[in-house]
Structure formats: structure tokens, C-alpha cells
Amino acid sequence: METFKVAVLEEERKIGYHEVEKKQPKDKQVLIKVDSCAICTLEQRVYLGVMNRYPFAGGHEAAGVVEAVGKKVAGVKPGDKVAVRLLNSCGECYYCRNGHENQCVKSFIAETQECAMGPGGLSEYMMVSADDVYKVADDADLSHISITEPLACCVHSIENGKIELGNDVVVIGIGIMGALHIQLAKLKGARVIACELDEKRLEVAKKMGADILINSGKVDAVEEVKKLTDGRGADAVFCTVPVAALADQAVQMTGKLGRTVFYTSFHPDKPIEISPNKVHSSEQVITGTVNPSKKDFLAATRLLSAKIVDVSELISDRMSLDDLEAAFEKAILPDTYRIVVQPE
Ligand SMILES: [Zn+2]
Ligand SMILES: [Zn+2]
């Protein structure tokens, strides 16, 4: 029996490796040899014990090469490079059926591997449904393609921000998500203002193409944005930091007809005050964004495949699947952007 390795988070800061039988794909199944899997916040929370979901086969940001396909698969063939949508949706609920599968009531119930629950990308192989496999260019760097899912989340967010050519756009927080927002907002034709406390991250914002940098530790970011926009406020503001005070700032620095997008979830979920009269008179839209739809995922694969978005600066390191504990320890450091895990 041929087997392959799957990494499983067994308990807080404890990783085990399971051997799983390598089978041949049936009908609409695709067998993928994993090349790269990035470590996201979800996996870090399980690793640190913030989320108690053991045993958990983590890894939902994966890319690889098709090894074999079932008889009914038409979209990909062995040898194709692919991204895999591992945080899939049920397909049966109200939201899946009205075209908003990112709002699926049952999403995240990924059961890719036989040995444990979870998306299962931290492994040597994955058996997935052809629906979830997206082909990319033959010359694509698969470590970059592993960033498809976070980019897709940002694509969804940018679409909710309804950016128009020449708009003033503020991105609050320049972690990997803020950095991707900057690149996408530039592609939409905006002047991008980056707000961040950390000078090193402001440097990243500049590399991503931000036009104006605001160190919000040194100046009042709301006042600064108003100054830059002749007192109007921005056309779209994206808050990517899980701090309620910054959500409040995001609302305040948004101008008439502007869109305020809460990209992140907030911890703790502290309520903020909103002036109903500001919203009434400005027609400001306050919205959020959660998970990518299939359309966003497809767009993200195309942006990376055609090298329209460049994530090379956002991959902090590539580490071995055999050294997963070290990879997690590095991923949780505050200065790390993405750690990409690669089987040997
Ligand atoms: Zn992710
Ligand atoms: Zn659903």
C-alpha cells in the first residue's frame, strides 16, 4: 500500500504526522501533489490553542500539481499546476444558491484527509473535488499560488469597497491583508493612503504601491486623511486591524458617499459609536467582508497566474513540512508575513 504524509495538529503546540493510503481518484476527484501550503491565522489559532479543534488537519492555502484525475474530470489533467479552494461551501443552503457562497451557513467543514477533520493542505497529497481545483499558468511559481485564498478574501473586500477611478482609498494596517489591499486598490485606479504604526510595515506599504504613508502613531490619522482630501474624507476605507478603535477611525475618515469596509473580525468585539446623522447626511455605507466567493477565488488565481499581483515580498520564508513546528513558531512572530510550507 502506497501512503503519504499528513500533518495533524494534535493539541496545543503539538504536531503529529499520519500516513494515509494514496488512492486513485474516482469520477470527479482530483489527486494533487502538494507543492506549497501557506500558514494562515486559522491554523495559528489552532496551533496556539486559541481554537480548540483537535485533531485538526490544517492548511487551507495550498497549491500543487495534478497527479491523477477521475474519469469525469474535464477541467484539468495530470501535470497541470493548480490552486485549491479548500474552505469550500455546502452548495445547498440559501446563500450558496443565490450566488453568495461566501455567506454559506456551513462553510469551513473541510474534510480533505481521511485521518482528521480540516482542510488538510499541510500534507504531501490531497484528494479533492474537481469543482475546487483552479488551473494556473505552467510557468507560475506555486509558492506564490498558495497565496490565492488570502488574495481572494481581499478581492472580495475590494469589490465591496466599490472603488472608482481616481478615488481616495485608505488602507488601515499593513499586514499581509493590508498589503494585498494596496495592490488591488492601485489596480482599481485609486490613490492609496496607507495608515500603520510600524515603520517597517510602512516600508512594505510603499513597495506595494501606496501613494501616501501615514504613521498613525505620530499623527492623528483621521485629521491627516481629511487634510489630504480637502476636508472631504476618503471614498473608501478598509480596516484590516482587529481593534475597535480603528474601526471607529475608519468610519470617521470616510467621506460623503464613501464606503467603510470592516475587513477583519474584531477581538474583543467592542461596540463603537456611530452618528446616525453622519450616515444620514453623507449617505456613507458601512459594510464588512467575509470569505471569498468562487468568483473572487477565480479572480485571485488569474491575478497571480498572470503576475498582475506580486506576492514575492509577502512570503517571509519557505520551510519544510517535516519541520512544521519551526514553521508555526516563525509564522506566529509579529514581523512575519506568510510562511509557506513545502513537502520535500
Ligand atoms: Zn487563509
Ligand atoms: Zn451553503
Side-chain angles (χ1 to χ4, degrees):
M1 179 178 87
E2 205 182 337
T3 64
F4 63 87
K5 199 187 296 173
V6 178
V8 175
L9 300 169
E10 310 275 15
E11 54 190 85
E12 192 180 321
R13 281 189 146 97
K14 186 166 177 275
I15 293 160
Y17 293 95
H18 293 227
E19 287 295 329
V20 174
E21 186 184 352
K22 188 170 157 191
K23 296 177 181 168
Q24 280 308 305
K26 287 185 210 145
D27 297 338
K28 293 280 273 178
Q29 287 182 323
V30 179
L31 179 67
I32 289 163
K33 186 175 199 299
V34 179
D35 176 274
S36 294
C37 183
I39 299 179
C40 186
T41 325
L42 167 67
E43 281 75 19
Q44 291 175 33
R45 287 194 185 127
V46 179
Y47 178 75
L48 291 171
V50 180
M51 268 169 87
N52 187 331
R53 273 204 189 183
Y54 309 109
F56 184 70
H60 64 271
E61 298 180 355
V65 178
V66 174
E67 176 135 319
V69 298
K71 281 195 287 291
K72 294 179 181 167
V73 174
V76 289
K77 59 180 188 311
D80 282 349
K81 289 183 175 178
V82 294
V84 192
R85 182 171 171 263
L86 285 163
L87 296 181
N88 42 21
S89 34
C90 76
E92 296 176 33
C93 76
Y94 179 85
Y95 302 101
C96 280
R97 287 184 170 164
N98 77 1
H100 297 278
E101 59 278 356
N102 65 306
Q103 291 284 355
C104 175
V105 297
K106 286 189 204 159
S107 57
F108 287 21
I109 312 179
E111 287 173 84
T112 310
Q113 304 291 358
E114 285 175 7
C115 57
M117 276 278 294
L122 293 166
S123 59
E124 290 176 318
Y125 285 89
M126 291 183 297
M127 187 72 86
V128 293
S129 165
D131 299 0
D132 298 323
V133 176
Y134 294 67
K135 186 177 167 1
V136 295
D138 293 338
D139 69 347
D141 179 333
L142 286 170
S143 68
H144 292 190
I145 299 300
S146 73
I147 309 299
T148 298
E149 190 267 347
L151 179 61
C153 291
C154 298
V155 167
H156 190 69
S157 174
I158 290 286
E159 295 299 355
N160 280 356
K162 301 197 179 352
I163 298 170
E164 293 177 17
L165 290 169
N167 272 182
D168 284 319
V169 168
V170 178
V171 178
I172 300 176
I174 316 299
I176 184 166
M177 298 305 180
L180 293 172
H181 272 80
I182 293 172
Q183 285 198 46
L184 294 173
K186 287 304 294 175
L187 289 170
K188 289 280 191 183
R191 176 172 75 152
V192 178
I193 303 164
C195 291
E196 167 64 57
L197 292 164
D198 185 301
E199 282 294 340
K200 264 195 251 164
R201 288 184 170 216
L202 281 170
E203 279 302 310
V204 174
K206 199 171 172 186
K207 283 185 192 159
M208 295 297 118
D211 299 282
I212 297 164
L213 309 176
I214 295 178
N215 185 325
S216 37
K218 291 185 181 157
V219 293
D220 181 329
V222 176
E223 285 310 310
E224 210 55 29
V225 168
K226 293 230 166 114
K227 250 189 255 168
L228 288 162
T229 54
D230 299 325
R232 288 191 308 274
D235 299 300
V237 179
F238 298 89
C239 183
T240 74
V241 185
V243 176
L246 295 176
D248 185 34
Q249 281 192 7
V251 172
Q252 289 183 49
M253 62 172 69
T254 305
K256 284 179 188 275
L257 303 166
R259 287 78 57 196
T260 313
V261 181
F262 296 159
Y263 173 82
T264 175
S265 54
F266 291 84
H267 309 281
D269 186 19
K270 192 169 159 271
I272 58 169
E273 274 186 19
I274 286 172
S275 153
N277 272 337
K278 180 179 189 284
V279 177
H280 157 71
S281 59
S282 69
E283 301 189 15
Q284 169 182 7
V285 175
I286 301 170
T287 186
T289 178
V290 67
N291 307 330
S293 65
K294 287 181 187 175
K295 188 181 171 196
D296 305 316
F297 199 93
L298 175 66
T301 62
R302 296 184 61 81
L303 289 166
L304 290 171
S305 187
K307 302 183 172 70
I308 297 167
V309 166
D310 180 6
V311 293
S312 50
E313 285 285 337
L314 304 175
I315 296 175
S316 302
D317 207 351
R318 292 169 179 76
M319 296 177 79
S320 162
L321 180 64
D322 293 330
D323 218 359
L324 194 55
E325 201 179 308
F328 267 100
E329 289 298 328
K330 194 154 183 183
I332 59 180
L333 297 175
D335 279 349
T336 305
Y337 278 89
R338 271 294 187 274
I339 297 294
V340 170
V341 174
Q342 298 182 309
E344 290 305 286

